[in-house]
Amino acid sequence: MVRPFAVVAGVLALVALAQQQPPAEPPKPEEPKPEAPAKPVYSFQGKPLKLEFSCKDDDIAAFGLTCTPEEPCEAYLELAAVEALGNRVFLTGNIHTSAVTLWSVLLTSEDAGKSWMEMGERMRSTGLEQIQFLDFEHGWIGGQQLLA
């Protein structure tokens, strides 16, 4: 039964200490937070869309690739599923080489496919394969992580 008393005594000591300190300075105005870089918007103009993609050195090593600036690895965008909900369209898939899946991709369009933007962050070694929305608020996207 000593433990509850010790906690109470500690709390009372902190309260007494707080009462003895000079009043706190008024809070400073918040500094503007740096804005996240804008995600690219891809416009469909009758030709295939090309997503921005590059591998870092640690990605190349983790995936077991042997890409060099002189001989870059070819990467492909594979789309696996599409779901339309009004003017909103969702596409799922992944970016992969001939040997390994690199990153997941989730694209969304708010204007029936005229322009596209990546929704959320890409997930490493993951392929998104299925998508279903029941209404504008409920749905799911399924896939699997291929490497840990």
Side-chain angles (χ1 to χ4, degrees), residues 80-81 92-94 127-131 141-144 146:
T92 62
N94 65 75
L128 299 177
E129 300 165 347
Q130 300 175 3
I131 185 168
I141 297 169
Q144 61 182 325
L146 303 166

Side-chain angles (χ1 to χ4, degrees), residues 78-93 105-109 112-113 116 128-133 140-142:
E78 177 182 4
L79 298 176
V82 61
E83 178 81 4
L85 194 62
N87 280 338
R88 295 182 84 184
V89 183
F90 299 89
L91 290 171
T92 62
V105 174
L106 175 58
L107 296 170
T108 185
S109 173
W116 295 89
L128 299 177
E129 300 165 347
Q130 300 175 3
I131 185 168
Q132 182 177 8
F133 283 90
W140 59 271
I141 297 169

